[in-house]
Amino acid sequence: MVRTLGVAVVGFGWMGRVHTQAYARVPHHFPGLSLRPELVAVADEVPGRAEEAAAQYGFAAAHRDWREVAADPRVRAVSIAAPNFLHREIGLAMAKAGKHIWIEKPVGLTAEDARAVSDAVTKAGVQGTVGFNYRGAPAVAAARELIASGEIGTVTHVRIRLFSDYAAHPEGALTWRYERERGGSGVLGDLASHGVDLARFLLGEIEALTADTAIFLPRRARPTGATAGHTRATGGELGPVENEDYVNCLLRFASGARGVLEACRVSVGEQNNYGFEVHGTKGAVFWDFRRMGELGVSRGTSYQDQPVSTVYVGPGDGEYAAFQPGSANSMGYDDLKVIEAHHFLRSIAENTPYGATLADAVHSAAALDAMSRSAEQGAWVPLA
């Protein structure tokens, strides 16, 4: 029997739209799911944005204040896609109101914020899913199985990269993203949080790390009006960029493996260059988000001069079969959010966590805090 679940979206920038579209698509890709999402409410503080969302997507109610969503008894589950500095307050309020939450990373500005939301969700007995979408790629699921099977031997080292140019233009507006109080640790929360999650998803717990960070564009113009995404601003008063453009981190895993994690938001010439290279004693596996359905795999007994083959993922790898019938058919970013939505709704239906949880968000946030401390101290920092 299929039941209807009232859902709401708080924050209707680009990510709020992605969540909304994912809810609409879930029944088509996962028809066996026992919950059918119903778009009950949307909230955004920008004048007219929530009303526009309601008109386009069919939300029953539109609000400027997210607190009205928390008070709405028809809403059983909430997507939190508001700016980072609001994650803790909104997450705590929604959990207290007994609502399940699908929240975008990094779940606040610090590990303390993430723990507070995680504890609130546990206390309320609701489900919490976190937006670590890259682990949902079928190729990443296949890589994880390949590593766990021992086909590439014992993992020796990994390199994880997340390079983008979304903040590379010197005329990029000085929005909340560049403020320490509202944007947190900059590229650490934006991109390195994904890198930590991928590292843990593939190789297990991180034991210690050391990091270096930098701000390469130290001043930007303040915007003169409402902004969305990565708006440019010219002629406005210049202000300081307070958080990181770049991080480079060495990792030690509990398994004994070593790693390098590098992330940058001002990499000219790089557009969503995200991926990893995992090396083992008998082989290696490589993944590039821009070629999401492919893995580079080296395995065998040659060791020296051993070739790398391109493997196309297909049905049987992760959730691929819900989208395509045969190998080498393309999937995209939005498909990963549909997978997340499915995990979220399935968690609610079965009262069992699926996909990335708030516990994963806490681990990621703790690593980010450790990176910041390491960069300040110039030393290795252990992770409990």
Side-chain angles (χ1 to χ4, degrees):
M1 177 179 177
V2 176
R3 295 178 290 132
T4 299
L5 182 80
V7 301
V9 176
V10 174
F12 209 78
W14 169 67
M15 187 56 71
R17 289 178 181 272
V18 173
H19 277 231
T20 302
Q21 290 161 182
Y23 284 129
R25 292 178 57 194
V26 162
H28 302 288
H29 293 283
F30 299 95
L33 187 65
S34 63
L35 286 179
R36 183 69 53 89
E38 178 184 3
L39 300 178
V40 170
V42 58
D44 195 289
E45 64 178 10
V46 176
R49 186 179 285 173
E51 290 77 9
E52 177 188 339
Q56 182 175 0
Y57 293 101
F59 288 97
H63 306 289
R64 287 281 300 277
D65 190 339
W66 59 263
R67 293 169 185 82
E68 295 184 61
V69 172
D72 191 337
R74 298 172 300 170
V75 175
R76 298 288 310 285
V78 180
S79 280
I80 302 174
N84 299 349
F85 64 93
L86 295 173
H87 285 187
R88 176 172 179 157
E89 182 183 7
I90 298 174
L92 292 178
M94 296 302 174
K96 185 177 180 180
K99 303 183 191 305
H100 308 282
I101 62 173
W102 174 13
I103 186 168
E104 278 304 316
K105 54 85 212 165
V107 189
L109 304 180
T110 64
E112 181 185 354
D113 288 346
R115 287 192 191 95
V117 178
S118 180
D119 290 346
V121 163
T122 300
K123 183 178 180 181
V126 295
Q127 295 296 322
T129 295
V130 180
F132 289 127
N133 49 278
Y134 299 108
R135 65 155 62 189
V140 175
R144 188 185 194 213
E145 291 187 9
L146 185 72
I147 293 165
S149 73
E151 284 198 60
I152 64 169
T154 301
V155 172
T156 54
H157 58 102
V158 59
R159 182 168 63 175
I160 299 173
R161 69 187 185 282
L162 298 110
F163 298 147
S164 186
D165 64 355
Y166 66 81
H169 203 292
E171 294 179 359
L174 187 68
T175 64
W176 61 267
R177 291 181 181 277
Y178 303 102
E179 298 174 6
R180 182 71 61 183
E181 185 176 346
R182 297 196 296 167
S185 56
V187 76
L188 277 70
D190 278 356
L191 295 180
S193 57
H194 282 297
V196 173
D197 186 66
L198 282 172
R200 292 183 60 250
F201 186 68
L202 294 170
L203 303 183
E205 297 305 330
I206 300 167
E207 193 172 71
L209 59 80
T210 184
D212 184 33
T213 63
I215 299 173
F216 295 133
L217 294 176
R219 296 176 69 79
R220 295 178 182 271
R222 300 185 188 280
T224 56
T227 61
H230 305 288
T231 308
R232 293 186 193 176
T234 56
E237 177 188 357
L238 292 178
V241 172
E242 299 174 349
N243 54 26
E244 295 82 354
D245 288 329
Y246 171 85
V247 61
N248 180 24
C249 184
L250 300 180
L251 307 170
R252 290 177 184 163
F253 292 86
S255 66
R258 298 297 193 263
V260 177
L261 191 162
E262 193 176 13
C264 185
R265 65 187 180 186
V266 296
S267 297
V268 176
E270 300 282 11
Q271 296 87 37
N272 300 322
N273 183 356
Y274 309 150
F276 55 76
E277 303 150 21
V278 181
H279 294 267
T281 53
K282 297 195 299 182
V285 59
F286 310 89
W287 180 69
D288 186 328
F289 168 65
R290 298 165 301 178
R291 304 175 71 91
M292 194 168 75
E294 300 178 16
L295 283 177
V297 180
S298 178
R299 52 190 165 190
T301 57
S302 299
Y303 300 100
Q304 189 175 359
D305 297 326
Q306 184 164 287
V308 177
S309 300
T310 298
V311 176
Y312 297 99
V313 296
D317 295 316
E319 303 284 7
Y320 185 94
F323 298 87
Q324 300 293 350
S327 300
N329 285 296
S330 297
M331 290 177 60
Y333 177 91
D334 286 15
D335 296 328
L336 302 185
K337 303 307 279 191
V338 176
I339 292 170
E340 269 184 46
H342 172 243
H343 287 159
F344 179 45
L345 296 170
R346 186 181 178 191
S347 298
I348 297 168
E350 301 180 18
N351 196 31
T352 300
Y354 289 95
T357 67
L358 280 159
D360 294 310
V362 171
H363 280 290
S364 177
L368 301 183
D369 284 2
M371 289 179 197
S372 295
R373 292 198 305 274
S374 175
E376 292 172 2
Q377 300 168 7
W380 282 87
V381 175
L383 274 71

